PDB file of all heavy atoms in Angstrom:
ATOM      1  N   CYS A  23      -5.033  15.027 -13.048  1.00  0.00           N
ATOM      2  CA  CYS A  23      -4.174  15.530 -14.127  1.00  0.00           C
ATOM      3  C   CYS A  23      -5.011  15.719 -15.388  1.00  0.00           C
ATOM      4  O   CYS A  23      -6.197  15.392 -15.394  1.00  0.00           O
ATOM      5  CB  CYS A  23      -3.027  14.563 -14.403  1.00  0.00           C
ATOM      6  SG  CYS A  23      -3.549  12.977 -15.086  1.00  0.00           S
ATOM      7  N   VAL A  24      -4.378  16.255 -16.434  1.00  0.00           N
ATOM      8  CA  VAL A  24      -5.036  16.255 -17.740  1.00  0.00           C
ATOM      9  C   VAL A  24      -4.325  15.219 -18.599  1.00  0.00           C
ATOM     10  O   VAL A  24      -3.086  15.186 -18.640  1.00  0.00           O
ATOM     11  CB  VAL A  24      -4.944  17.640 -18.432  1.00  0.00           C
ATOM     12  CG1 VAL A  24      -5.698  17.623 -19.759  1.00  0.00           C
ATOM     13  CG2 VAL A  24      -5.487  18.726 -17.548  1.00  0.00           C
ATOM     14  N   ASP A  25      -5.089  14.365 -19.244  1.00  0.00           N
ATOM     15  CA  ASP A  25      -4.510  13.373 -20.156  1.00  0.00           C
ATOM     16  C   ASP A  25      -4.596  13.906 -21.585  1.00  0.00           C
ATOM     17  O   ASP A  25      -5.691  14.206 -22.077  1.00  0.00           O
ATOM     18  CB  ASP A  25      -5.309  12.057 -20.090  1.00  0.00           C
ATOM     19  CG  ASP A  25      -5.072  11.296 -18.794  1.00  0.00           C
ATOM     20  OD1 ASP A  25      -4.079  11.592 -18.092  1.00  0.00           O
ATOM     21  OD2 ASP A  25      -5.871  10.396 -18.489  1.00  0.00           O
ATOM     22  N   ARG A  49      -9.907  14.798 -18.455  1.00  0.00           N
ATOM     23  CA  ARG A  49      -9.442  14.781 -17.060  1.00  0.00           C
ATOM     24  C   ARG A  49      -8.959  13.374 -16.727  1.00  0.00           C
ATOM     25  O   ARG A  49      -9.570  12.393 -17.149  1.00  0.00           O
ATOM     26  CB  ARG A  49     -10.587  15.222 -16.145  1.00  0.00           C
ATOM     27  CG  ARG A  49     -10.259  15.225 -14.683  1.00  0.00           C
ATOM     28  CD  ARG A  49     -11.294  16.004 -13.881  1.00  0.00           C
ATOM     29  NE  ARG A  49     -12.662  15.719 -14.269  1.00  0.00           N
ATOM     30  CZ  ARG A  49     -13.325  14.613 -13.942  1.00  0.00           C
ATOM     31  NH1 ARG A  49     -12.728  13.670 -13.233  1.00  0.00           N
ATOM     32  NH2 ARG A  49     -14.565  14.437 -14.326  1.00  0.00           N
ATOM     33  N   GLY A  50      -7.839  13.293 -15.979  1.00  0.00           N
ATOM     34  CA  GLY A  50      -7.291  11.965 -15.680  1.00  0.00           C
ATOM     35  C   GLY A  50      -6.778  11.858 -14.252  1.00  0.00           C
ATOM     36  O   GLY A  50      -6.997  12.753 -13.419  1.00  0.00           O
ATOM     37  N   GLY A  51      -6.078  10.773 -14.001  1.00  0.00           N
ATOM     38  CA  GLY A  51      -5.646  10.440 -12.637  1.00  0.00           C
ATOM     39  C   GLY A  51      -6.600   9.375 -12.115  1.00  0.00           C
ATOM     40  O   GLY A  51      -7.816   9.502 -12.315  1.00  0.00           O
ATOM     41  N   ASN A  52      -6.059   8.360 -11.470  1.00  0.00           N
ATOM     42  CA  ASN A  52      -6.904   7.220 -11.061  1.00  0.00           C
ATOM     43  C   ASN A  52      -8.128   7.632 -10.256  1.00  0.00           C
ATOM     44  O   ASN A  52      -9.255   7.232 -10.562  1.00  0.00           O
ATOM     45  CB  ASN A  52      -6.097   6.219 -10.233  1.00  0.00           C
ATOM     46  CG  ASN A  52      -5.006   5.568 -11.042  1.00  0.00           C
ATOM     47  OD1 ASN A  52      -4.670   6.043 -12.122  1.00  0.00           O
ATOM     48  ND2 ASN A  52      -4.443   4.496 -10.537  1.00  0.00           N
ATOM     49  N   ALA A  53      -7.913   8.459  -9.219  1.00  0.00           N
ATOM     50  CA  ALA A  53      -9.041   8.786  -8.328  1.00  0.00           C
ATOM     51  C   ALA A  53     -10.077   9.640  -9.053  1.00  0.00           C
ATOM     52  O   ALA A  53     -11.279   9.500  -8.818  1.00  0.00           O
ATOM     53  CB  ALA A  53      -8.542   9.485  -7.072  1.00  0.00           C
ATOM     54  N   ASN A  55     -10.668   9.512 -12.272  1.00  0.00           N
ATOM     55  CA  ASN A  55     -11.374   8.599 -13.188  1.00  0.00           C
ATOM     56  C   ASN A  55     -12.398   7.757 -12.420  1.00  0.00           C
ATOM     57  O   ASN A  55     -13.502   7.498 -12.908  1.00  0.00           O
ATOM     58  CB  ASN A  55     -10.390   7.675 -13.908  1.00  0.00           C
ATOM     59  CG  ASN A  55      -9.451   8.437 -14.834  1.00  0.00           C
ATOM     60  OD1 ASN A  55      -9.793   9.530 -15.281  1.00  0.00           O
ATOM     61  ND2 ASN A  55      -8.296   7.868 -15.133  1.00  0.00           N
ATOM     62  N   ALA A 107      -0.496  14.266 -18.514  1.00  0.00           N
ATOM     63  CA  ALA A 107       0.022  12.975 -18.987  1.00  0.00           C
ATOM     64  C   ALA A 107      -0.100  12.945 -20.503  1.00  0.00           C
ATOM     65  O   ALA A 107      -1.140  13.311 -21.052  1.00  0.00           O
ATOM     66  CB  ALA A 107      -0.783  11.837 -18.370  1.00  0.00           C
ATOM     67  N   VAL A 109      -0.385  10.584 -23.523  1.00  0.00           N
ATOM     68  CA  VAL A 109      -0.796   9.175 -23.631  1.00  0.00           C
ATOM     69  C   VAL A 109      -0.789   8.752 -25.101  1.00  0.00           C
ATOM     70  O   VAL A 109      -1.266   9.493 -25.966  1.00  0.00           O
ATOM     71  CB  VAL A 109      -2.231   8.997 -23.071  1.00  0.00           C
ATOM     72  CG1 VAL A 109      -2.673   7.542 -23.169  1.00  0.00           C
ATOM     73  CG2 VAL A 109      -2.313   9.473 -21.623  1.00  0.00           C
ATOM     74  N   ARG A 118      -1.945   1.221 -23.883  1.00  0.00           N
ATOM     75  CA  ARG A 118      -1.906   2.650 -23.566  1.00  0.00           C
ATOM     76  C   ARG A 118      -0.569   2.910 -22.892  1.00  0.00           C
ATOM     77  O   ARG A 118      -0.178   2.221 -21.955  1.00  0.00           O
ATOM     78  CB  ARG A 118      -3.121   3.053 -22.728  1.00  0.00           C
ATOM     79  CG  ARG A 118      -3.029   3.046 -21.231  1.00  0.00           C
ATOM     80  CD  ARG A 118      -3.004   1.643 -20.625  1.00  0.00           C
ATOM     81  NE  ARG A 118      -2.916   1.705 -19.166  1.00  0.00           N
ATOM     82  CZ  ARG A 118      -1.775   1.606 -18.494  1.00  0.00           C
ATOM     83  NH1 ARG A 118      -0.632   1.449 -19.122  1.00  0.00           N
ATOM     84  NH2 ARG A 118      -1.791   1.642 -17.174  1.00  0.00           N
ATOM     85  N   ILE A 120       1.817   5.784 -21.063  1.00  0.00           N
ATOM     86  CA  ILE A 120       1.575   7.053 -20.358  1.00  0.00           C
ATOM     87  C   ILE A 120       2.900   7.694 -19.935  1.00  0.00           C
ATOM     88  O   ILE A 120       3.757   7.028 -19.356  1.00  0.00           O
ATOM     89  CB  ILE A 120       0.734   6.792 -19.079  1.00  0.00           C
ATOM     90  CG1 ILE A 120      -0.583   6.092 -19.437  1.00  0.00           C
ATOM     91  CG2 ILE A 120       0.463   8.074 -18.315  1.00  0.00           C
ATOM     92  CD1 ILE A 120      -1.369   5.582 -18.218  1.00  0.00           C
ATOM     93  N   PHE A 122       3.878  10.722 -17.508  1.00  0.00           N
ATOM     94  CA  PHE A 122       3.250  11.614 -16.518  1.00  0.00           C
ATOM     95  C   PHE A 122       4.238  12.705 -16.124  1.00  0.00           C
ATOM     96  O   PHE A 122       5.425  12.438 -15.915  1.00  0.00           O
ATOM     97  CB  PHE A 122       2.877  10.773 -15.289  1.00  0.00           C
ATOM     98  CG  PHE A 122       1.960  11.471 -14.338  1.00  0.00           C
ATOM     99  CD1 PHE A 122       0.589  11.469 -14.557  1.00  0.00           C
ATOM    100  CD2 PHE A 122       2.457  12.122 -13.220  1.00  0.00           C
ATOM    101  CE1 PHE A 122      -0.275  12.105 -13.673  1.00  0.00           C
ATOM    102  CE2 PHE A 122       1.602  12.763 -12.335  1.00  0.00           C
ATOM    103  CZ  PHE A 122       0.235  12.753 -12.568  1.00  0.00           C
ATOM    104  N   GLU A 152      -6.259   6.311  -3.436  1.00  0.00           N
ATOM    105  CA  GLU A 152      -5.291   5.838  -4.435  1.00  0.00           C
ATOM    106  C   GLU A 152      -3.936   5.901  -3.737  1.00  0.00           C
ATOM    107  O   GLU A 152      -3.615   6.940  -3.142  1.00  0.00           O
ATOM    108  CB  GLU A 152      -5.357   6.823  -5.624  1.00  0.00           C
ATOM    109  CG  GLU A 152      -4.218   6.752  -6.584  1.00  0.00           C
ATOM    110  CD  GLU A 152      -4.280   7.902  -7.637  1.00  0.00           C
ATOM    111  OE1 GLU A 152      -5.266   8.671  -7.692  1.00  0.00           O
ATOM    112  OE2 GLU A 152      -3.305   7.987  -8.393  1.00  0.00           O
ATOM    113  N   GLU A 213      -1.563   0.586  -7.381  1.00  0.00           N
ATOM    114  CA  GLU A 213      -1.384   0.367  -8.810  1.00  0.00           C
ATOM    115  C   GLU A 213       0.070   0.402  -9.254  1.00  0.00           C
ATOM    116  O   GLU A 213       0.514  -0.406 -10.049  1.00  0.00           O
ATOM    117  CB  GLU A 213      -2.185   1.425  -9.593  1.00  0.00           C
ATOM    118  CG  GLU A 213      -2.308   1.059 -11.062  1.00  0.00           C
ATOM    119  CD  GLU A 213      -2.309   2.242 -11.989  1.00  0.00           C
ATOM    120  OE1 GLU A 213      -1.878   3.345 -11.603  1.00  0.00           O
ATOM    121  OE2 GLU A 213      -2.742   2.063 -13.135  1.00  0.00           O
ATOM    122  N   LYS A 214       0.829   1.365  -8.713  1.00  0.00           N
ATOM    123  CA  LYS A 214       2.161   1.613  -9.275  1.00  0.00           C
ATOM    124  C   LYS A 214       3.218   0.715  -8.617  1.00  0.00           C
ATOM    125  O   LYS A 214       3.484   0.815  -7.421  1.00  0.00           O
ATOM    126  CB  LYS A 214       2.556   3.082  -9.062  1.00  0.00           C
ATOM    127  CG  LYS A 214       1.487   4.088  -9.468  1.00  0.00           C
ATOM    128  CD  LYS A 214       1.810   4.795 -10.742  1.00  0.00           C
ATOM    129  CE  LYS A 214       0.774   5.780 -11.210  1.00  0.00           C
ATOM    130  NZ  LYS A 214      -0.623   5.360 -11.261  1.00  0.00           N
ATOM    131  N   LEU A 299      -7.174   3.085 -21.689  1.00  0.00           N
ATOM    132  CA  LEU A 299      -6.755   4.061 -20.672  1.00  0.00           C
ATOM    133  C   LEU A 299      -7.856   4.196 -19.615  1.00  0.00           C
ATOM    134  O   LEU A 299      -8.982   4.548 -19.943  1.00  0.00           O
ATOM    135  CB  LEU A 299      -6.494   5.420 -21.327  1.00  0.00           C
ATOM    136  CG  LEU A 299      -6.029   6.529 -20.394  1.00  0.00           C
ATOM    137  CD1 LEU A 299      -4.640   6.261 -19.833  1.00  0.00           C
ATOM    138  CD2 LEU A 299      -6.051   7.885 -21.107  1.00  0.00           C
ATOM    139  N   GLY A 300      -7.526   3.905 -18.373  1.00  0.00           N
ATOM    140  CA  GLY A 300      -8.511   4.040 -17.297  1.00  0.00           C
ATOM    141  C   GLY A 300      -9.401   2.815 -17.144  1.00  0.00           C
ATOM    142  O   GLY A 300     -10.383   2.853 -16.393  1.00  0.00           O
ATOM    143  N   ALA A 301      -9.068   1.704 -17.824  1.00  0.00           N
ATOM    144  CA  ALA A 301      -9.900   0.494 -17.678  1.00  0.00           C
ATOM    145  C   ALA A 301      -9.843  -0.014 -16.241  1.00  0.00           C
ATOM    146  O   ALA A 301     -10.867  -0.390 -15.656  1.00  0.00           O
ATOM    147  CB  ALA A 301      -9.432  -0.588 -18.651  1.00  0.00           C
ATOM    148  N   ASP A 303      -9.285   1.773 -13.595  1.00  0.00           N
ATOM    149  CA  ASP A 303     -10.027   2.720 -12.742  1.00  0.00           C
ATOM    150  C   ASP A 303     -11.532   2.470 -12.877  1.00  0.00           C
ATOM    151  O   ASP A 303     -12.291   2.621 -11.915  1.00  0.00           O
ATOM    152  CB  ASP A 303      -9.722   4.166 -13.141  1.00  0.00           C
ATOM    153  CG  ASP A 303      -8.218   4.444 -13.157  1.00  0.00           C
ATOM    154  OD1 ASP A 303      -7.481   3.761 -12.425  1.00  0.00           O
ATOM    155  OD2 ASP A 303      -7.783   5.324 -13.922  1.00  0.00           O
ATOM    156  N   TYR A 358     -14.926   8.230 -21.399  1.00  0.00           N
ATOM    157  CA  TYR A 358     -15.864   7.601 -20.458  1.00  0.00           C
ATOM    158  C   TYR A 358     -17.322   7.982 -20.732  1.00  0.00           C
ATOM    159  O   TYR A 358     -18.202   7.508 -20.041  1.00  0.00           O
ATOM    160  CB  TYR A 358     -15.520   8.023 -19.021  1.00  0.00           C
ATOM    161  CG  TYR A 358     -14.074   7.748 -18.647  1.00  0.00           C
ATOM    162  CD1 TYR A 358     -13.095   8.718 -18.830  1.00  0.00           C
ATOM    163  CD2 TYR A 358     -13.695   6.510 -18.145  1.00  0.00           C
ATOM    164  CE1 TYR A 358     -11.770   8.459 -18.504  1.00  0.00           C
ATOM    165  CE2 TYR A 358     -12.389   6.245 -17.811  1.00  0.00           C
ATOM    166  CZ  TYR A 358     -11.421   7.236 -17.999  1.00  0.00           C
ATOM    167  OH  TYR A 358     -10.119   6.968 -17.687  1.00  0.00           O
TER     168      TYR A 358
HETATM  169  C1  FRU B 401      -5.273   5.950 -16.009  1.00  0.00           C
HETATM  170  C2  FRU B 401      -4.583   7.140 -15.422  1.00  0.00           C
HETATM  171  C3  FRU B 401      -4.551   8.326 -16.344  1.00  0.00           C
HETATM  172  C4  FRU B 401      -3.357   9.111 -15.834  1.00  0.00           C
HETATM  173  C5  FRU B 401      -2.435   8.008 -15.321  1.00  0.00           C
HETATM  174  C6  FRU B 401      -1.758   8.347 -14.045  1.00  0.00           C
HETATM  175  O1  FRU B 401      -5.321   4.899 -15.092  1.00  0.00           O
HETATM  176  O2  FRU B 401      -5.180   7.528 -14.197  1.00  0.00           O
HETATM  177  O3  FRU B 401      -5.755   9.054 -16.381  1.00  0.00           O
HETATM  178  O4  FRU B 401      -2.726   9.820 -16.799  1.00  0.00           O
HETATM  179  O5  FRU B 401      -3.218   6.847 -15.148  1.00  0.00           O
HETATM  180  O6  FRU B 401      -0.867   7.370 -13.661  1.00  0.00           O
END
Side-chain angles (χ1 to χ4, degrees):
C23 67
V24 183
D25 288 343
R49 179 165 44 76
N52 295 15
N55 295 336
V109 180
R118 93 287 180 264
I120 303 170
F122 193 84
E152 164 187 353
E213 194 214 19
K214 311 254 179 311
L299 181 67
D303 306 334
Y358 306 92

